Amino acid sequence: MDLVARSGVLPQPGETVLGGEFAMIPGGKGANQAIAAARAGAATRLLGAIGSDAFGVTLKARIDAAGVDTALVRVVYGASGVALITVDDAGENTIVVAPGANAAFTDLTEPERAAIADADVLVAQLEIPVETVTAAARAARAAGTRVVLNAAPARSLPADLLDAVDLLVVNETEADAITGERRPEPLLAVVPRAVVTLGPAGAWYVDRDGASAQVPGVRVDTVDSTAAGDAFTGALAVAWAEGREIVDAVGWACAAGAACARTLGASTALPRRAEIDELWSVSRGPGRAS
């Protein structure tokens, strides 16, 4: 659950600032990216855990309403995951995540492994234990399911996880945590394909076949960038699963991230396919179909 406060400026350590609007919005990277993928046009199933608290009830209802299959989502006794978010007038944010039930998602059941094997693409994040992410990625690799890893929050990653990743999605800070550099090329030492997101400036794609493309961002009036990265990752996975050329898929994902940033909130801001298509078409100029 995202607890979001607006503030003119982000507080510095030890500083208290007077805020403005407050909102309580269902979120979480896994849920956000599942909803983003569903709204972008994919049949989507979520594997994860929610708490037995009131937040858990609300979270599941929101995910269900977005058309995501939650049949395998676990309910764990105790608190659901919570994110404490401050958003300033420029749309920038700071986020602290208290994992709650996410920390209890420590293994995979046979039905969960079967769901991974049945998928075209597995999308994973790092708000659950990295051991579980590794197990899921290796199960996907064994079944021929492509693996998209959004390595956020930033942390060091085990080699056996990276060996199972087909496409790594990180921002510049996360890239630096993995390789010590903010550029994408060093990531090719550990994964075959990588995208480094650059905020409003777009994204940079590289792969081991020699491709390198800086994809420009889509200009919008930014209200809140909180879930823009999740919109990007979910849309990228959908476009790649549909067989789009990867650089085109990255551009379409940039449009999804930009569309998301126009609205306050996380899951509430994630765009639908028609909205992504419209923004992507406009950004490419007159006479060019999406």
Side-chain angles (χ1 to χ4, degrees), residues 220-274:
V220 295
D221 292 329
T222 298
V223 173
D224 180 7
S225 63
T226 298
D230 295 330
F232 177 95
T233 302
L236 178 59
V238 172
W240 199 32
E242 290 176 346
R244 295 197 192 202
E245 194 275 326
I246 187 65
V247 174
D248 184 71
V250 171
W252 194 70
C254 285
C260 179
R262 296 188 295 190
T263 304
L264 177 67
S267 61
T268 51
L270 296 166
R272 300 188 182 278
R273 188 181 185 101

Side-chain angles (χ1 to χ4, degrees), residues 17-279:
V17 300
L18 185 64
E21 179 183 356
F22 170 78
M24 189 171 69
I25 304 168
K29 284 189 176 298
N32 287 346
Q33 291 175 19
I35 292 172
R39 289 183 176 172
T44 307
R45 177 176 289 177
L46 178 64
L47 307 181
I50 55 175
S52 57
D53 56 359
F55 284 170
V57 174
T58 304
L59 289 166
K60 187 175 185 300
R62 174 61 58 85
I63 300 164
D64 284 337
V68 176
D69 183 343
T70 61
L72 294 176
V73 172
R74 308 178 189 184
V75 178
V76 177
Y77 180 77
S80 297
V82 172
L84 308 175
I85 303 172
T86 305
V87 182
D88 71 11
D89 288 343
E92 293 299 322
N93 63 70
T94 61
I95 304 174
V96 175
V97 175
N102 295 292
F105 188 22
T106 56
D107 58 1
L108 292 176
T109 64
E110 285 308 311
E112 288 166 343
R113 290 179 180 274
I116 291 169
D118 189 50
D120 295 308
V121 177
L122 170 71
V123 181
Q125 318 77 28
L126 299 178
E127 287 186 347
I128 62 173
V130 70
E131 295 81 8
T132 311
V133 177
T134 301
R138 295 187 69 82
R141 173 57 58 87
T145 299
R146 285 174 287 179
V147 177
V148 175
L149 175 64
N150 176 215
R155 64 174 79 177
S156 60
L157 300 176
D160 52 347
L161 170 56
L162 292 168
D163 287 344
V165 171
D166 294 291
L167 175 61
L168 182 69
V169 179
V170 291
N171 63 25
E172 291 175 287
T173 300
E174 293 149 3
D176 184 66
I178 296 170
T179 66
E181 297 190 50
R182 299 168 73 88
R183 300 180 302 109
E185 292 92 345
L187 294 168
L188 297 180
V190 293
V191 293
R193 303 170 191 84
V195 174
V196 175
T197 58
L198 307 171
W204 194 344
Y205 171 79
V206 294
D207 64 35
R208 288 177 180 170
D209 293 329
S212 179
Q214 294 189 52
V215 180
V218 178
R219 292 182 178 273
V220 295
D221 292 329
T222 298
V223 173
D224 180 7
S225 63
T226 298
D230 295 330
F232 177 95
T233 302
L236 178 59
V238 172
W240 199 32
E242 290 176 346
R244 295 197 192 202
E245 194 275 326
I246 187 65
V247 174
D248 184 71
V250 171
W252 194 70
C254 285
C260 179
R262 296 188 295 190
T263 304
L264 177 67
S267 61
T268 51
L270 296 166
R272 300 188 182 278
R273 188 181 185 101
E275 186 180 358
I276 302 169
D277 282 341
E278 179 181 8
L279 193 57

